[in-house]
Amino acid sequence: MVTPLRLYDTYSRQLREFPPSDSPARKNLETPITYYTCGPTVYDYAHIGNFRAYIFEDQVVRALEYLGWTVKQVMNLTDVDDKTIHGANPKGESVPAVEMLGRLGAYTAPHIEAFFEDTDSLNIRRAAVYPRATEHIPEMVRLIGALIENGYAYEGDDGSWYFSIKKFSRYGYLSGIKIEDVRLGARVSADEYEKEDARDFALWKKARPGEPAWDPKEFDSGSPLPVGRPGWHIECSAMSMKHLGETIDAHSGGHDNIFPHHENEIAQSEGATGKRFVRHWIHCGYLLVDGEKMSKSKGNYFRLRDVLQRGYNPLAIRLLLLSTHYRKPLNFTFEGLKGAEKNLKQLQAFLRRLERERTTVAEGPKSLGIGMGGAGVAINQAKDEFAKALTEDLNIAKALAAIFEMTRVVNTMLDDGMVLQEEMEQASEALLGFDHVLGLKLDEVREGEGVDAAFVETKLAERAKAKKAKDYARADAIRDELAALGVIVEDTPQGTKWFYAK
Ligand SMILES: [Zn+2]
């Protein structure tokens, strides 16, 4: 079954079918949905607000796949911009450009590594490609070349090149800002600025002492651009086109990316190609901490690492960050995180109970008669509601409610011995299916929470040896010893398997 979603599109300001009706993915299911996601600027460790967006984007991909679509996700790594340059040269020393390139690489490398460690711990699946800005300078130079040719770009009196927003009639549509006439012609060279500062923005910045720089003539001998470096916004336009094509299905980021970043991306991309850049724009809401905007000065600024250092399970953080509807502001509190840990444990315990009772309870139900088969109904209902919630603007909160209701109903029926073995199997299959979307690794026990895995493996090796020597009494004794620790051993045609049941 392949179902489109009803997903909010920031550009048209309404719920629309996704993938869009004109997406090639709608005509041929093997054609992936093309999805560009703005990635991290690798100048610091990412904070929990950043991860709200990355988890949300992972959720989009997982939900689409659950509904039968294939997706190609690209996430850029911004490794050259105002922030990374400042990080690599905080005192603004007059370092030669070539040496600055080396410094920049050395400065961003550990942040890139940390980013992947963080995303792995949150079980965010890898995108198909992680293009780096520093590796796409020729593409950016050529894109700016097209903008110059089409009359959208001009050279400022500072020698840098700018995009003229008055030339692009749709400028401001995505974010809904009105450009006042007084600002037309005024320029901004910083990568980040507020709506009030909407003005012509830098595409290419002329080299300054202490900054890395490239010579555009190396990539395009006719380029009028001076030795310098790209502005931040052109990076995403160039990398999106290179890896996904001139028109893509979806582009997303946090709410704060709408202006100026995505507004500028539309202007640059459509100004250069004359084609629609993105069919569907998706944005997730802000993250607050204790009801307030996160800020270093308020002491409520948390990088993911700060939270993990307090001993929290990263998957509970994941659960917390995905349980509020993606368009609403999310209020992060440690109280809420404790609640998420409890909910996560409840789901894990339910799955282990199903596994345990399925393999340990005697063949057939304890009693047959009125009321049997009710669990199957509850499971099917949960599956229907789960899929429906996904298609309703990715309502994960509603999908989670369906799962917890199924857990409650089936747990009660298990207490009463009213669940058929095949229903236990159905329930655990359904739960693992839901987990493809949630990504909570429900079937894995966190290290240190159960019995030591190495100890179990040693015991199982001993048991295999005993069996080989036909010492079945010894083999059974080891099995019982493990069972007493909550470890269930299963001999299958694929070999011996084991899992925790506590
Ligand atoms: Zn971007």
Side-chain angles (χ1 to χ4, degrees), residues 36 38-39 76 232 236 251 261-262 265:
Y36 187 89
C38 284
N76 67 291
W232 169 40
C236 280
H251 191 124
H261 190 48
H262 290 164
E265 280 190 46

